[in-house]
Amino acid sequence: MNKDNEIKINGKTYALVPDTIDDLNECDRCALKDYCLEECGDGLCQEVYGVDNARGKLFEEIPDVDVLTGKEVYDYYQERSVKAGERADQLAWMFIVMMTGGLISGHAFQTFSICSALAAIYMLLSVLQAVWQTFTSWLFMQKINRHHLTPEDYPAWVGCGAWAFFWLKMISIASAVMYFAKAIFF
């Protein structure tokens, strides 16, 4: 977009662009229609750019690109798996408590042992995911401090690593649940 055709009004940025519909009512589709009616009279585009340059054009709002902060980077991947992780944590603890109860009673069953082992693997993967996300977020925060970055600048390998840990966790706990269900019902 040509910066010469941009204007800021009330904290928003607008660009003067050609109207895509060929009629004489471009003012009706202009993003600054209400502002022009209240403030300008003849039209803001004509006052700023002249009648010849404004003919057949209208203002469109340009969305602002948010600047990514360090806290947003940290929260971005931490919050993505929170709900699924909380439910899986409950299942993992259930299997570990069941195994502990079996060991205390002296009746350690194979089903509980396997489910508890898968639950322990889930817990280990949770710790590794948290370490991965924290460390890679810290690395990216260092980059943010040197440059102005947007969310699109977030490296794909950071997110792919976090998702790999997430899916390994979900596979582990889902395997424990399926094994437990198979042992109980079949």
Side-chain angles (χ1 to χ4, degrees), residues 10-158:
N10 297 330
K12 295 181 179 179
T13 304
Y14 299 90
L16 188 65
V17 297
D19 188 13
T20 56
I21 299 173
D22 193 22
D23 65 14
L24 300 176
N25 297 324
E26 64 264 5
C27 290
D28 292 337
R29 292 180 297 281
C30 183
L32 291 174
K33 174 184 173 185
D34 295 334
Y35 181 84
C36 284
L37 291 174
E38 292 175 13
E39 303 290 328
C40 300
D42 288 337
L44 180 65
C45 57
Q46 292 180 10
E47 287 183 12
V48 174
Y49 299 105
V51 174
D52 292 334
N53 289 332
R55 187 173 293 122
K57 296 179 181 174
L58 53 87
F59 281 107
E60 285 184 355
E61 184 177 349
I62 300 173
D64 289 332
V65 177
D66 294 333
V67 175
L68 196 59
T69 66
K71 182 173 178 356
E72 289 169 342
V73 170
Y74 181 79
D75 291 342
Y76 184 70
Y77 281 101
Q78 297 294 339
E79 292 181 21
R80 299 200 72 171
S81 62
V82 168
K83 287 293 179 196
E86 287 173 357
R87 289 184 181 101
D89 286 348
Q90 292 170 352
L91 284 171
W93 282 111
M94 178 194 76
F95 286 128
I96 291 171
V97 167
M98 288 170 55
M99 179 60 190
T100 304
L103 289 173
I104 291 171
S105 71
H107 297 91
F109 300 106
Q110 179 183 0
T111 301
F112 294 148
S113 299
I114 291 172
C115 291
S116 297
L118 289 168
I121 290 169
Y122 168 85
M123 295 294 205
L124 177 63
L125 289 169
S126 291
V127 170
L128 292 174
Q129 180 186 17
V131 169
W132 171 265
Q133 289 175 306
T134 303
F135 179 69
T136 55
S137 294
W138 176 81
L139 285 176
F140 192 61
M141 281 190 290
Q142 302 309 308
K143 193 173 181 180
I144 287 174
N145 292 335
R146 292 186 299 263
H147 312 287
H148 291 289
L149 300 173
T150 64
E152 290 80 27
D153 296 324
Y154 205 87
W157 60 270
V158 173

